[in-house]
Amino acid sequence: MTQTTPAPAPSPIVTAHAQLAAAVRHLGYDEGTHQHLATPRRELHVAVPLRTDSGELRMFHGYRVQHNISRGPGKGGLRFHPDVDIEEVRALAMWMTWKCAVVDIPYGGAKGGVTIDPRGYSQAELERVTRRYTSEIMPLIGPGTDIMAPDMGTDEQTMAWVMDTYSVAQGHTIPAVVTGKPIALGGSLGRATATSAGVVHVTDSALREQGQSIEGRTVAVQGFGKVGSHAAQIFAARGARIVAVSDVDGGVRADGGLDMARLLEHVAATGTVVGFDGGDPITNADLLAVDVDVLVPAATENVLDETTAQAVQARLVVEGANGPTTPEADAIMAKNGITVVPDILANAGGVVVSYFEWVQAHQAYWWTAPEIAERLEHRMATAYVDVAEHASREGLSLREAALVIAVKRVAEAHKIRGLYP
Ligand code: GLU
């Protein structure tokens, strides 16, 4: 048998452009409008040199892309990952534009990235990288211009360093320049688990449409980071059975359900789900093919492609990650009758509570945890209904409907504002 080398994964920007083109076609927009929506508004590529703890000099690349700022300031995370490149950041920034528009919060879309593997560096080194990057992109960011948040490889401590670097440069404390901050610096209650809570809310909405509920459903979660681990815990607390989870190193499966409390102890002790004795080992690829009610890809881009999508047995896929599904995989899952709740809706809970955090910082008045939970649930439920109704009215998938709604909101903002000059 001849072995064929698998084709390299397409850049996420290819997926993002294909999705936009489909929405533009559906909306009947002209090519000029299409290109206006496709073209990033501003991009900055900066050098990020680091003096390591051992005295070596290492160079990284940093990016900040503002894809669109017609509905409000740029908004989006900062990613630390060795594979970050300008095309990935462009795609992620574009998805932020549509995400903010579909949940109707007054932001455009932006994203940042640094080509560093944070696992290989000390906290002191990561602090220096974060501060240098922040200083280099200073002309673009600000509480009314572009607001960062955590993403893959960054966390609330990273945001504290960004906020401090920016505030020191401006000469006074400006909490609203970032979201996802520590609570002690004006972070919002509920922000740390907001993306996961949103994933569970939309799953609930999608299951209800099928006459089901979360209780008793089987769930597999790919990615046991900020999004996946909390989603698994919230699902389990609501009576679902978590039958498989994975992280970059591998996964674990137990058809009778994983004991979440013991699994979390294992992860706290070892840093990975691998080796947990309450289940059998499973690969990341096999996890996608487990026969479950709900599959949550919460790791990274392009994991569901034309090969892996063929094997998906879940009835419902809820995208905790950004861009986990290629257009080819979308078509295969649609043909196989699988409902996909798209990333720009499914994982929008994080940016929704980021928006609440930013509003609270502007008011200098903090809301209670129940207030935040209730407002998040309301936003997610409203956005889900908007998308689901549009999808059934127009005969579209949930992804197509979400994109059409979002793209239309952004295009309308462009149209009403007009062109300058
Ligand atoms: N990085 C998260 C995302 O991809 C959150 C962005 C934010 O809160 O600004 O949605």
Side-chain angles (χ1 to χ4, degrees):
M1 217 169 81
T2 43
Q3 289 272 320
T4 49
T5 326
S11 166
I13 195 69
V14 175
T15 299
H17 279 153
Q19 293 169 347
L20 172 62
V24 164
R25 243 186 337 266
H26 183 84
L27 288 161
Y29 292 162
D30 59 47
E31 189 49 24
T33 303
H34 181 184
Q35 289 313 318
H36 198 181
L37 293 163
T39 308
R41 175 70 176 260
R42 293 183 189 130
E43 302 183 344
L44 197 52
H45 178 176
V46 298
V48 185
L50 166 72
R51 179 75 60 195
T52 65
D53 293 344
S54 61
E56 263 175 69
L57 182 64
R58 298 246 173 100
M59 281 305 301
F60 302 103
H61 295 265
Y63 307 94
R64 186 74 187 170
V65 174
Q66 293 174 354
H67 167 256
N68 196 290
I69 49 173
S70 59
R71 302 179 75 250
K75 184 82 191 81
L78 168 63
R79 176 171 293 199
F80 283 1
H81 193 281
D83 297 339
V84 158
D85 63 26
I86 185 65
E87 293 207 326
E88 182 189 37
V89 179
R90 272 182 199 143
L92 291 163
M94 187 187 286
W95 284 326
M96 285 309 304
T97 302
W98 312 141
K99 194 185 298 189
C100 294
V102 83
V103 290
D104 206 10
I105 54 180
Y107 289 137
K111 202 84 175 196
V114 179
T115 56
I116 186 172
D117 182 355
R119 298 191 302 177
Y121 293 89
S122 69
Q123 282 294 99
E125 289 167 332
L126 293 174
E127 175 173 354
R128 292 199 287 281
V129 163
T130 304
R131 288 188 186 279
R132 181 61 185 255
Y133 168 78
T134 305
S135 161
E136 293 292 338
I137 64 156
M138 194 82 74
L140 284 193
I141 60 172
T145 51
D146 185 347
I147 305 117
M148 252 184 266
D151 195 77
M152 218 185 267
T154 60
D155 58 17
E156 57 176 40
Q157 177 60 70
T158 323
M159 293 304 111
W161 293 325
V162 173
M163 185 273 227
D164 182 71
T165 307
Y166 183 81
S167 296
V168 169
Q170 304 298 316
H172 60 115
T173 298
I174 306 173
V177 68
V178 295
T179 59
K181 296 179 287 295
I183 304 278
L185 291 182
S188 179
L189 294 169
R191 176 62 185 85
T193 52
T195 309
S196 317
V199 163
V200 178
H201 287 317
V202 296
T203 306
D204 189 45
S205 299
L207 287 170
R208 275 171 200 274
E209 277 199 316
Q210 301 170 1
Q212 298 178 341
S213 71
I214 287 177
E215 191 170 356
R217 298 281 81 72
T218 52
V219 181
V221 180
Q222 186 190 52
F224 208 67
K226 291 191 285 278
V227 180
S229 69
H230 288 121
Q233 290 172 66
I234 301 170
F235 274 123
R238 292 191 51 176
R241 187 150 41 102
I242 310 298
V243 298
V245 298
S246 67
D247 58 33
V248 293
D249 300 316
V252 55
R253 169 182 188 168
D255 288 347
L258 292 159
D259 179 334
M260 291 305 295
R262 283 190 55 237
L263 175 63
L264 290 168
E265 277 170 26
H266 173 84
V267 171
T270 65
T272 172
V273 300
V274 174
F276 177 56
D277 65 6
D280 301 316
I282 185 172
T283 64
N284 263 295
D286 287 345
L287 180 137
L288 297 172
V290 175
D291 187 3
V292 277
D293 297 310
V294 183
L295 171 65
V296 181
T300 188
E301 295 107 56
N302 286 332
V303 296
L304 288 166
D305 58 19
E306 54 201 350
T307 311
T308 53
Q310 297 283 7
V312 172
Q313 295 189 66
R315 268 65 70 193
L316 179 64
V317 173
V318 183
E319 297 183 337
N322 292 312
T325 306
T326 66
E328 295 75 19
D330 250 339
I332 290 163
M333 291 194 286
K335 189 165 73 42
N336 292 345
I338 299 166
T339 302
V340 178
V341 186
D343 46 8
I344 59 169
L345 171 63
N347 70 39
V351 77
V352 166
V353 178
S354 277
Y355 166 56
F356 297 162
E357 180 174 331
W358 180 79
V359 169
Q360 291 170 84
H362 279 297
Q363 295 176 328
Y365 182 83
W366 275 266
W367 308 346
T368 63
E371 278 171 326
I372 286 156
E374 191 198 314
R375 287 174 207 237
L376 171 63
E377 184 168 6
H378 177 73
R379 285 265 172 185
M380 296 305 294
T382 306
Y384 186 88
V385 168
D386 280 354
V387 170
E389 284 184 359
H390 198 82
S392 73
R393 207 168 43 238
E394 304 275 321
L396 299 172
S397 69
L398 292 177
R399 186 183 319 279
E400 290 162 339
L403 281 156
V404 163
I405 290 171
V407 169
K408 191 168 176 216
R409 285 184 180 152
V410 176
E412 277 175 355
H414 278 298
K415 190 156 178 261
I416 296 164
R417 287 180 61 156
L419 261 197
Y420 172 81

